[in-house]
Amino acid sequence: MRPPALAVVGWSGSGKTTLLTRLVPELRQRGLRVGVVKHSSDAHPLHREGSDTARYAESGAAFVAFATPAGVQLSFPEPASHVLSLLERFADTVDLVLVEGWKQGPLPKLEVWREGLGPLLAPGRQDVLAVVGECAVPEGVRGFKPDDVQGIAAFVLQCLRDGVLR
């Protein structure tokens, strides 16, 4: 079984990363163990070309880890579409996974919106639970100002308690 997950979606430059870097410590203060996944639709090398870790990955290793005094980076040779099944491996280590990006993924979503970057996604999407931004939100969707991290954290916790995040 995988841990509950919430996708934080929005146009490039909307403030997703900024929100997550503020939301993670707020959720941790409230007792949650939070994991974060950065999802990208663009091809992005996981290992620097010619590096030892790239050579291990090319050799067919089941996973490749890069360990330093600052931490361990772990990669698996599976496409981004398999991220949910990969999260099952971490079910005992986190209470919630926040996925930055993955607009088209199957997770419930928190949309971060900023004027001038693109249209609001929420009106045409049943999976958007809330919108963070200075805008009017559709009926049935919660709205938050970008600096209301405590309110957003309370909303996420309520969604966890209510079983909305799966």
Side-chain angles (χ1 to χ4, degrees), residues 8-23 38 100 110-115 117 132 146 149 152:
V8 177
V9 301
W11 300 104
S12 179
S14 62
K16 299 179 301 290
T17 301
T18 299
L19 176 62
L20 285 169
T21 60
R22 296 173 64 208
L23 187 57
K38 169 69 176 184
E100 180 183 339
L110 175 70
E111 180 179 357
V112 180
W113 185 84
R114 183 177 290 165
E115 180 85 35
L117 296 178
V132 177
V149 177
I152 297 165

Side-chain angles (χ1 to χ4, degrees), residues 110 129-133 135-138 140-146 148 152 155:
L110 175 70
L129 305 175
V131 174
V132 177
C135 60
V137 297
V141 176
R142 290 284 305 269
F144 295 95
K145 300 295 183 200
D148 187 10
I152 297 165
F155 175 74

Side-chain angles (χ1 to χ4, degrees), residues 45-59 64-66 73 75:
L46 296 177
H47 305 283
R48 192 180 72 244
E49 187 177 337
S51 68
D52 293 347
T53 58
R55 293 174 60 202
Y56 303 145
E58 291 163 5
S59 75
V64 176
F66 185 67
Q73 212 170 24
S75 64

Side-chain angles (χ1 to χ4, degrees), residues 2-164:
R2 72 169 170 80
L6 174 68
V8 177
V9 301
W11 300 104
S12 179
S14 62
K16 299 179 301 290
T17 301
T18 299
L19 176 62
L20 285 169
T21 60
R22 296 173 64 208
L23 187 57
V24 169
E26 183 67 31
L27 291 169
R28 284 184 44 126
Q29 284 181 345
R30 294 169 187 239
L32 290 183
R33 299 170 300 165
V34 181
V36 178
V37 173
K38 169 69 176 184
H39 182 275
S40 176
S41 299
D42 300 325
H44 185 279
L46 296 177
H47 305 283
R48 192 180 72 244
E49 187 177 337
S51 68
D52 293 347
T53 58
R55 293 174 60 202
Y56 303 145
E58 291 163 5
S59 75
F63 71 84
V64 176
F66 185 67
T68 74
V72 177
Q73 212 170 24
L74 188 60
S75 64
F76 298 93
E78 301 186 32
S81 61
H82 293 183
V83 73
L84 295 180
S85 61
L86 286 172
L87 292 178
E88 291 176 6
R89 299 175 186 182
F90 302 97
D92 294 336
T93 60
V94 296
D95 302 307
L96 173 67
V97 176
L98 299 172
V99 178
E100 180 183 339
W102 210 13
K103 287 183 193 99
Q104 303 310 320
L107 298 174
K109 294 167 183 50
L110 175 70
E111 180 179 357
V112 180
W113 185 84
R114 183 177 290 165
E115 180 85 35
L117 296 178
L120 192 63
L121 302 171
R125 307 282 303 256
Q126 296 289 339
D127 56 357
V128 175
L129 305 175
V131 174
V132 177
E134 302 286 344
C135 60
V137 297
E139 188 174 327
V141 176
R142 290 284 305 269
F144 295 95
K145 300 295 183 200
D147 61 349
D148 187 10
V149 177
Q150 291 181 342
I152 297 165
F155 175 74
V156 170
L157 285 170
Q158 188 62 52
C159 288
L160 271 174
R161 284 191 290 274
D162 292 347
V164 175

